[in-house]
Amino acid sequence: MNYKIALIRGDGIGPEIVNEAVGVLDKVGEKFGHTFTYVDVLLGGCATDAVGKSYPDGTAEVCKSCDAVLLGAVGGPKWGSDKPAEQRPETALLAIRKDLGLYANLRPAALRPALAEACPLKKETAEKGIDLMMVRELTGGVYFGKRDRYDTLDRGVECTDLMAYSEMEIERIGRRTFEMARLRRKKVSSVDKANVLETSRLWRSVMHRLAEEYPDVAYEDVLVDNCAMQLVRDPGQFDVVVTENMFGDILSDEASMITGSIGLLPSASMGDTAPALYEPIHGSAPDIAGQDKANPIATILSVAMMLRYSFQLAAEADAVEQAVDKALADGWRTADIAKPSETVVGTRQMGQIIRDNI
Ligand code: NAD
């Protein structure tokens, strides 16, 4: 099969880590008999430098003509908040997610066996293993609601942020979650604040209706405050966790921290029709850009997610994940995950070791 992939290399360490991930895809292609072709897409600070806008015209159309999108990272101090919105990399990120209709953000948080000691939780908790998938609604809720700021006569300035969710928005993320659970350990934990919020009560009723349609998947409701606590007390109890935008923003960062380094964690953002977008959860790390120091594993594992979820190539995805685990089990470390006694390899060498393991 031939798969066409849009590559957004971006800024900072973006080009370095995308290079290694592309090398891994090519190795998978060679080994399993697929062809991957690439289309370079300019987005972020590098696009501002080249054409004056972080999100050049036609970007979404080029991405939509591909089977999947791989993004390194965008941003950096050169294109900070003093610049007009159209020159800021963050504007481009929000725009591409919106234009591709990417309403579901998937972030696996798995403790890689060789790095169990990097887990900040109690040893006996880490030993039980952590392998959960956080599904965050990405285009609704309070981050996209109507905002207001006005003067009151007696209380100074007052502001409001509206949190709105429709049944349609909840149902589509819910369905995706139950389908995802069927590919994993078949358990869904739906996180809300239904004891307080009306949007959560609607969320819960839609999830309950869906749970009846998926009787093979175990289902539970978890209040958001309890979920925050359970993630540090016993994260091994979770398989797929689904929640609305703001709760997901906070809980997915908490879940990623319990697994160690941000240099290891991939993510996917999906919609219904356009290609999905895969990216590491970290940023462009301008402090180490161009120094062959970046950990390419999060981007390489993003490619494994692409193989699994966009191309339905499970054996190929397994091969990439196993190659990463072998590299770590053999003791190879980039600087961000190395202990003082361990030998450090650079971005390129880590990429090569993982390719050799496939
Ligand atoms: P960051 O994730 O870029 O870096 C935080 C720290 O982690 C830094 O010390 C960095 O060196 C380190 N780090 C990050 N990724 C690493 C990797 N792969 N290997 C080794 N070390 C790594 O976060 P930040 O410093 O807050 O942001 C830097 C820039 O990235 C900002 O402009 C921000 O807006 C942007 N950003 C972009 C995205 C994205 O493209 N999706 C996400 C977050 C931040």
Side-chain angles (χ1 to χ4, degrees), residues 237-355:
Q237 70 185 285
F238 293 118
D239 177 20
V240 184
V241 179
V242 61
T243 191
E244 64 89 40
N245 202 344
M246 183 170 63
F247 296 162
D249 189 8
I250 299 164
L251 293 177
S252 58
D253 269 17
E254 185 188 357
S256 58
M257 263 318 292
I258 60 178
T259 63
S261 164
I262 56 170
L264 295 172
L265 293 172
S267 79
S269 299
M270 298 175 171
D272 284 329
T273 48
L277 185 148
Y278 298 84
E279 60 180 319
I281 69 159
H282 58 73
S284 58
D287 52 333
I288 54 167
Q291 299 170 39
D292 193 37
K293 282 185 180 164
N295 187 343
I297 290 180
T299 317
I300 290 170
L301 291 174
S302 299
V303 151
M305 288 187 84
M306 178 189 290
L307 293 167
R308 191 181 303 283
Y309 297 120
S310 280
F311 307 154
Q312 282 74 47
L313 299 175
E316 289 80 343
D318 288 346
V320 173
E321 287 164 0
Q322 284 159 11
V324 167
D325 281 336
K326 181 168 180 351
L328 295 172
D330 290 346
W332 300 108
R333 300 281 186 271
T334 43
D336 56 314
I337 52 172
K339 287 192 288 202
S341 57
E342 288 172 327
T343 315
V344 168
V345 297
T347 311
R348 288 193 295 269
Q349 195 181 346
M350 183 57 103
Q352 188 58 51
I353 291 163
I354 293 167
R355 283 194 289 280

Side-chain angles (χ1 to χ4, degrees), residues 91-279:
T91 307
L93 265 188
L94 290 178
I96 184 110
R97 287 175 183 152
K98 181 166 172 287
D99 287 349
L100 297 183
L102 306 174
Y103 63 81
N105 181 240
L106 275 58
R107 272 205 200 180
L111 189 60
R112 314 239 58 102
L115 290 176
E117 78 276 12
C119 175
L121 304 182
K122 281 191 195 140
K123 196 164 174 279
E124 56 271 27
T125 309
E127 274 167 5
K128 282 201 248 167
I130 303 170
D131 180 10
L132 65 90
M133 176 74 80
M134 188 70 71
V135 182
R136 166 187 169 193
E137 202 290 327
L138 203 58
T139 55
V142 71
Y143 292 176
F144 288 85
K146 193 164 170 283
R147 302 178 209 302
D148 210 353
R149 172 182 282 261
Y150 46 87
D151 282 319
T152 64
L153 289 178
D154 52 347
R155 301 181 311 283
V157 174
E158 193 168 276
C159 297
T160 59
D161 296 280
L162 181 75
M163 182 191 270
Y165 267 107
S166 66
E167 281 181 285
M168 180 277 283
E169 287 174 302
I170 301 168
E171 179 160 346
R172 65 183 183 181
I173 187 105
R175 268 193 201 288
R176 201 168 264 284
T177 303
F178 279 95
E179 296 292 338
M180 169 74 47
R182 278 188 167 161
L183 300 174
R184 296 176 45 99
R185 301 193 305 279
K186 294 195 173 70
K187 181 179 175 194
V188 168
S189 306
S190 170
V191 176
D192 62 37
K193 189 72 181 169
N195 51 346
V196 179
L197 300 176
E198 199 55 33
T199 43
S200 281
R201 284 190 274 273
L202 179 66
W203 180 279
R204 195 174 272 207
S205 69
V206 174
M207 289 294 169
H208 283 193
R209 177 157 52 76
L210 289 175
E212 283 178 19
E213 286 184 40
Y214 293 84
D216 52 319
V217 177
Y219 175 87
E220 64 175 355
D221 299 307
V222 187
L223 289 173
V224 62
D225 38 349
N226 184 28
C227 183
M229 187 176 73
Q230 296 300 332
L231 276 173
V232 290
R233 198 186 69 84
D234 180 21
Q237 70 185 285
F238 293 118
D239 177 20
V240 184
V241 179
V242 61
T243 191
E244 64 89 40
N245 202 344
M246 183 170 63
F247 296 162
D249 189 8
I250 299 164
L251 293 177
S252 58
D253 269 17
E254 185 188 357
S256 58
M257 263 318 292
I258 60 178
T259 63
S261 164
I262 56 170
L264 295 172
L265 293 172
S267 79
S269 299
M270 298 175 171
D272 284 329
T273 48
L277 185 148
Y278 298 84
E279 60 180 319

